[in-house]
Amino acid sequence: MKFDTPATTNPIDQLKIVGKPIDRIDGPLKTTGQAPYAYEQNQEVSGVAYGYVVGSTIAKGRIISIDTEAARAASGVISIVTAETAGPLGLGSMNTAKLLGGPEIDHYHQAIAVVVAETFEQARAAAQKVKVRYAKAVGKFDLVAERANAKLTNEGRGERLTGDFRTAYAAAPHQLDEVYRTPDQAHAMMEPHASMAKWEGDKLTLWTANQMIDWGRGDVAKTLGIPKASVRLISPYIGGGFGGKLFVRSDAVLAALGARAAKRPVKIALPRAFIFNNTTHRPATIQRIRIGCTPDGKITAIGHETWSGNLPGGKPENATQQTQFMYAGPNRMTATRLAVLDLPEGNAMRAPGEAPGLMALEIAMDEMAEKLGIDPVEFRIINDVQVDPNAPERPYSQRQLIKCLRDGAAHFGWSKRSAVPGKSRDGRWLVGMGVGAGYRGNPVAKSAARVRLDAAGKVTVETDMTDIGTGSYTIIAQTAAEMMGVPIDKVIVRLGDSDFPVSAGSGGQWGANSSTSGVYAACVKLREAVCKAVGFDASKAQFADGRVAVGKKSLSLGEAVGPKGLVAEDAIEFGDLSKKYLQSTFAAHFVEVGVDAATAEIRVRRMLAVCAAGRIINPKSARSQVIGAMTMGVGGAIMEELAVDTRHGFFVNHDLAGYEVPVHGDIPHQDVIFLDEEDPISSPMKARGIGELGLCGVSAAIANAIYNATGVRVRDYPLTLDKLITHLPSFA
Amino acid sequence: MKSFTYVRAKSPADAASMAASTSGARFIAGGTNLLDLMKLEIETPPHLIDVNGLGLDKIEDTPSGGLRIGALVRNTDLAADDRVRRDYGVLSRALLAGASGQLRNKATTAGNLLQRTRCPYFYDTAQACNKRQPGSGCSAVRGFSRQHAIIGASTACIATHPSDMAVAMRVLDAAVETVLPNGKSRQIKMKDFHRLPGATPHIETSLQSGEFITAVTLPKPLGGTHVYHKVRDRASYAFALVSVAAVIQADGRGRVAFGGVAHKPWRVEAAERELPNGAAAVAARVFADAVPTPENEFKRILAERTLAGVLSETRGRS
């Protein structure tokens, strides 16, 4: 099904099941431990052996020699694979550094060997006996030092100019010119990267934690040099990804190589302390923002430049993404520059671009509002725009950021905020409120599904879509139930298998909208097939209560499809509506923080997100997405940072004791309000993405609240207490 | 993990003599730290002596009016003991500020004292660390040192001791009871129990080879207001940037020890005379010889301000 004109009325609009806060249909399996994750697919194989990955202990250089003799002699060892013994390996199209390194070393903890043994403990013990000699080379590990060597990239169209930024900025009566920094961040999802591989002849089956089955299938094939058709990926349950599992990683490739060498199924889970330097992370940024304004708060010039680093061939963190579109202003400049760094591979993490970009931009907006003496909510409203500011003929499909801000301000009690910072106190706590606007694009991608209706009236949906904890199972079941007119417990959803039709996968907050649209398309086809089978006019048929009816003629679905049932398969394919219309999602984040007047300890006291993201397919799972993202935003604002050792070129705090993410005690009551929207330009579901929006703008709202509480402006994330304490008034 | 042999000790003296007779042997109780270190091969004991069955899990009144805490009393039980909560509040609060409920259920009193630093370079066997591998150097000195010691450190090691419990025990003038391999017992004052790193940071306590902790004793209660304030980057489940254990009397006099600043709980008795004069006066004396790194120099001001906060709370209460 081609989606190239805005949706009209369709069966989803009945909203009998779609739009309802239905509990996760996979919830009981998960809460009772019966949902098997990749490492737990024990019923699928017998005689499994265990792989343990050896990582490089230098960041850059060459392996002179690997001595595996002692490891081979260790008890239980079956085989050891290194780059030397693995045979020729390709590089996945989504990978920057090789997943099995050697002799060249590209980064710290790059995998250089896998030891396969009878037990996990034996594999680990033997891996620790592998002795490697290196020739270290000088690497580049310091973004600040390499900033001057960074090159302009094509991300965001190079140096994108609209109007005459430099002249307008120079002429602006009010100017802001500040530099902000965001650190390297880790996905830190709960489930580690894990895979289990089994070969049958030259056919590989890989149970793996992966968000994008078809990408993964292609890259496994490309890396191993085998046809894509010879690879099957299975990933029905995934314990979080946040972008860290968009791509095939060393666990998958080394499980496959280990299994081939051992002639046994092999499983590998990356140890937590290995994940931080072995896999990908969100790259650090340095961002310079310039805003020029008239005295009444109209932006006349806005400039946003960003610098990040990556391995040669890697991509930049495009932190200017939102600034191209978010606020009004006739004169604009954005530029994304990239330096070469020999740190581990930087790549996508939840809301890549916008998350760090808004961490900077939304502080800048707060600062500019203060310079102007305008309330920061009003300042954003003054600069709202309903069209692409670079191409005014291109409207937003829907943009209710003003309503998000106004509703949020009213709900949160924004009027009680003191415009002068450092004035509000609750006992020992300095109290402040902050606002940050959220903006995230609404990408969509082709997504296919197969839908089967059986004689019992049950509907089975198959698609290689993944559920990374987001609720895909449930919203897909809701979509099929609504379309076929059956209760949700008559729908079976099967996901995460490359034998199923190729979906959009989970990433970039495109998954929910795209994959349910694909299911919609397949259901439209199935409805037509049902009608054809019984001689009904599909345009007049009603599917409801497990029956199909035209006028007074009515049949149960089981009767309609007969003993063999019916199957339909289709894909949603998106036309050029995203070119004609700018499609985005919007949020207003309001936060109240307390800062201990003595110790500068920061506690978030209240949070509210008001989101505008089209139709909300399931308010319960959508709310879970948003509060999870707000929690991640708290981490990003006040604690998360991969500490770079610029001498040795690695992230030092490479475990969950050192890389701190929020605990329950850090998270207060969180409110989420969804605006009642439907967006017929986005998809037949009339939904937009929600999974990443909740993270966009929230960290800056916290930073702004900390400023409001203390009067101390910190432009360098995370806002840990050491950055505040020397600026606080004395405490006695 | 390296292979090891395992036995259960029959008595404290048995434990001590077995430990002395096997080079590199370790006692195992809760295992909350040791097992992690063994998996990473930071610790590679050839022999483990399980001391869990020795009946050292009681908290008893002492004739001098204090408490004798068995070495195997779990952190959860110690924190919840009525006498501890009533008379040694600083200890109960310190325990509850540490780790998580699950870890406290397993972790023991003696094990808590003997836990190793959480310096990230100590934990990464590819990095130089004099504590892990004597003579290999210290990666932390010019590295990522935000968590590290600001006082009492050396060029060989700037690690901190991670315990909260030990800081409270230091302020309470606790003593460690041990049995030696020759079967004799002795007492080691808390102030003498942990060592400064000097040139031998791998030697962390004054325990002799094989010497086994049987109990920790607390002197009779001090009265006063007991406070433990632990400052960290998140609300829970993190090691202290700085912590303050204080017992403050109604007249403003009292005791204070600091955690997160040194290789051992840091208490300067002579500085406590300044408590009635406020936190700045105390901190000036306590940290007179501080040598922070650029990344952790905030800890000195943080320690002073944390104490100021503690003192303002105790004023409010007395």
Side-chain angles (χ1 to χ4, degrees), chain B residues 102-231:
Chain B
Q102 291 89 338
L103 287 167
R104 292 193 297 267
N105 288 343
K106 283 298 285 178
T108 63
T109 304
N112 188 314
L113 291 176
L114 294 175
Q115 65 179 304
R116 313 291 307 273
T117 185
R118 265 40 171 218
C119 171
Y121 296 98
F122 173 74
Y123 263 78
D124 188 333
T125 51
Q127 299 299 317
C129 174
N130 289 319
K131 191 183 274 299
R132 178 167 28 77
Q133 198 180 343
S136 62
C138 174
S139 293
V141 166
R142 283 183 188 76
F144 173 55
S145 57
R146 185 168 175 270
Q147 290 274 353
H148 288 70
I150 58 169
I151 194 160
S154 69
T155 53
C157 181
I158 58 171
T160 54
H161 194 269
S163 172
D164 294 297
M165 183 195 80
V167 184
M169 286 182 170
R170 178 70 182 91
V171 91
L172 292 170
D173 274 337
V176 178
E177 284 187 6
T178 70
V179 57
L180 290 148
N182 63 11
K184 292 191 174 152
S185 46
R186 68 163 176 154
Q187 272 212 345
I188 307 168
K189 289 179 176 163
M190 252 329 270
K191 67 187 262 237
D192 301 322
F193 183 78
H194 291 105
R195 292 162 50 105
L196 291 180
T200 55
H202 58 293
I203 303 171
E204 294 172 349
T205 69
S206 53
L207 291 172
Q208 295 171 17
S209 173
E211 188 170 7
F212 175 68
I213 298 173
T214 52
V216 175
T217 57
L218 302 179
K220 68 176 195 223
L222 294 168
T225 301
H226 289 226
V227 183
Y228 190 77
H229 192 131
K230 180 178 183 180
V231 181

Side-chain angles (χ1 to χ4, degrees), chain A residues 128 597-598 645 647 654 661 729, chain B residues 1 41 121 124 139 234 305:
Chain A
Q128 286 161 322
D645 187 316
R647 305 161 306 168
H654 55 74
V661 298
Chain B
M1 190 186 282
E41 295 195 1
Y121 296 98
D124 188 333
S139 293
R234 62 182 171 192
R305 295 184 68 110

Side-chain angles (χ1 to χ4, degrees), chain A residues 57 108 124-125 128 428 597-599 601 643 645 647-648 650 652 654 660-661 665-666 720-722 725 729 731, chain B residues 1 39-41 120-121 124 126-127 139 142-144 146 229 231 233-235 238 298 302 305-306 308-309 313:
Chain A
T57 59
Y108 198 80
R124 182 178 60 194
Q128 286 161 322
R428 256 176 82 156
T599 63
E601 286 165 281
D645 187 316
R647 305 161 306 168
H648 303 312
F650 75 114
V652 183
H654 55 74
E660 291 182 20
V661 298
D666 292 301
T720 45
L721 58 86
D722 48 303
I725 195 159
F731 183 90
Chain B
M1 190 186 282
K39 290 172 189 171
L40 296 164
E41 295 195 1
Y121 296 98
D124 188 333
Q127 299 299 317
S139 293
R142 283 183 188 76
F144 173 55
R146 185 168 175 270
H229 192 131
V231 181
D233 289 320
R234 62 182 171 192
F298 73 92
L302 178 59
R305 295 184 68 110
T306 306
E313 270 180 57

Side-chain angles (χ1 to χ4, degrees), chain A residues 181-256:
Chain A
R181 293 187 58 185
T182 64
D184 297 287
Q185 293 181 331
H187 306 86
M189 76 298 283
M190 206 184 301
E191 182 202 21
H193 297 76
S195 296
M196 182 168 75
K198 182 174 85 169
W199 290 90
E200 286 161 299
D202 58 1
K203 297 238 187 284
L204 172 68
T205 304
L206 201 59
W207 293 264
T208 185
N210 192 293
Q211 301 172 223
M212 299 292 298
I213 297 301
D214 193 58
W215 291 5
R217 189 185 188 202
D219 268 0
V220 167
K222 191 160 181 258
T223 306
L224 298 176
I226 59 177
K228 190 175 173 183
S230 298
V231 179
R232 183 177 174 198
L233 246 61
I234 301 176
S235 194
Y237 300 104
I238 299 161
F242 308 124
K245 294 171 182 164
L246 285 169
F247 318 112
V248 171
R249 299 301 313 169
S250 62
D251 56 301
V253 169
L254 293 178

Side-chain angles (χ1 to χ4, degrees), chain A residues 333-674:
Chain A
M333 182 273 291
T334 50
T336 298
R337 293 185 176 83
L338 178 64
V340 169
L341 288 180
D342 298 303
L343 289 170
E345 179 175 333
N347 218 317
M349 179 169 145
R350 199 175 198 175
E354 281 102 332
L358 287 161
M359 287 166 85
L361 178 64
E362 289 301 288
I363 295 183
M365 290 295 285
D366 203 62
E367 294 197 71
M368 193 73 218
E370 189 182 33
K371 279 174 189 271
L372 294 162
I374 297 175
D375 180 274
V377 171
E378 287 307 314
F379 180 52
R380 288 169 172 89
I381 290 170
I382 289 167
N383 289 291
D384 187 65
V385 54
Q386 293 292 316
V387 297
D388 180 345
N390 310 286
E393 68 282 4
R394 184 188 182 208
Y396 275 96
S397 68
Q398 200 168 44
R399 172 166 163 144
Q400 296 203 75
L401 178 58
I402 291 179
K403 185 165 170 59
C404 291
L405 288 160
R406 288 218 192 283
D407 287 9
H411 190 84
F412 198 69
W414 181 253
S415 60
K416 296 195 182 74
R417 170 184 174 269
S418 163
V420 182
K423 293 292 174 211
S424 177
R425 190 137 177 180
D426 175 8
R428 256 176 82 156
W429 296 96
L430 308 169
V431 179
M433 291 189 209
V435 65
Y439 183 103
R440 170 70 183 160
N442 178 53
V444 284
K446 182 181 176 183
S447 197
R450 184 159 56 221
V451 191
R452 181 178 294 111
L453 186 54
D454 69 15
K458 282 215 170 202
V459 178
T460 301
V461 185
E462 292 173 335
T463 164
D464 81 356
M465 180 60 188
T466 49
D467 188 326
I468 59 174
T470 41
S472 307
Y473 278 102
T474 310
I475 59 172
I476 283 172
Q478 288 175 270
T479 303
E482 191 81 63
M483 288 299 292
M484 300 314 298
V486 298
I488 195 159
D489 60 8
K490 291 277 187 200
V491 181
I492 297 160
V493 181
R494 301 175 66 197
L495 302 181
D497 186 331
S498 62
D499 279 359
F500 299 152
V502 174
S503 73
S506 298
Q509 81 170 9
W510 62 62
N513 192 21
S514 303
S515 69
T516 54
S517 294
V519 173
Y520 166 89
C523 287
V524 168
K525 215 169 191 180
L526 182 59
R527 286 165 61 115
E528 288 165 1
V530 170
C531 290
K532 194 175 169 201
V534 294
F536 285 0
D537 179 348
S539 66
K540 294 193 176 112
Q542 297 290 317
F543 286 75
D545 305 321
R547 303 181 73 80
V548 55
V550 171
K552 288 191 175 136
K553 288 191 289 181
S554 168
L555 285 165
S556 79
L557 291 175
E559 289 164 349
V561 300
K564 285 187 181 159
L566 276 175
V567 182
E569 181 175 334
D570 201 4
I572 191 84
E573 290 181 79
F574 295 90
D576 63 353
L577 286 172
S578 65
K579 291 201 178 71
K580 291 183 192 152
Y581 298 89
L582 191 45
Q583 297 188 28
S584 290
T585 61
F586 307 91
H589 288 282
F590 292 84
V591 175
E592 182 181 288
V593 303
V595 178
D596 187 305
T599 63
E601 286 165 281
I602 300 158
R603 294 286 181 271
V604 177
R605 292 158 64 109
R606 291 193 293 141
M607 304 181 84
L608 165 67
V610 184
C611 301
R615 174 179 284 156
I616 301 301
I617 299 171
N618 182 329
K620 190 168 187 176
S621 56
R623 180 179 183 278
S624 290
Q625 285 293 291
V626 175
I627 64 173
M630 290 157 78
T631 301
M632 199 175 228
V634 172
I638 65 174
M639 64 188 81
E640 290 185 42
E641 174 175 24
L642 286 166
V644 181
D645 187 316
T646 56
R647 305 161 306 168
H648 303 312
F650 75 114
F651 300 129
V652 183
N653 51 341
H654 55 74
D655 61 27
L656 287 176
Y659 186 84
E660 291 182 20
V661 298
V663 294
H664 286 93
D666 292 301
I667 303 303
H669 180 70
Q670 296 172 313
D671 259 342
V672 180
I673 296 170
F674 294 113

Side-chain angles (χ1 to χ4, degrees), chain A residues 114-137:
Chain A
V114 61
V115 177
V116 179
E118 296 289 343
T119 70
F120 169 77
E121 288 77 12
Q122 288 171 328
R124 182 178 60 194
Q128 286 161 322
K129 291 181 195 292
V130 173
K131 297 289 171 252
V132 187
R133 285 176 57 225
Y134 299 98
K136 264 195 193 181

Side-chain angles (χ1 to χ4, degrees), chain A residues 258-322:
Chain A
R260 189 152 71 186
K263 301 184 172 55
R264 297 250 302 261
V266 166
K267 62 175 168 181
I268 294 175
L270 299 186
R272 184 66 66 180
F274 190 63
I275 289 174
F276 293 83
N277 286 285
N278 176 257
T279 69
T280 60
H281 66 279
R282 188 202 299 281
T285 66
I286 300 168
Q287 302 179 44
R288 182 186 183 193
I289 295 178
R290 281 174 281 178
I291 302 173
C293 270
T294 61
D296 59 354
K298 289 208 168 66
I299 294 173
T300 55
I302 185 162
H304 192 164
E305 296 160 275
T306 187
W307 291 260
S308 60
N310 213 333
L311 289 165
K315 286 186 180 164
E317 180 72 29
N318 182 12
T320 69
Q321 212 152 262
Q322 69 293 322

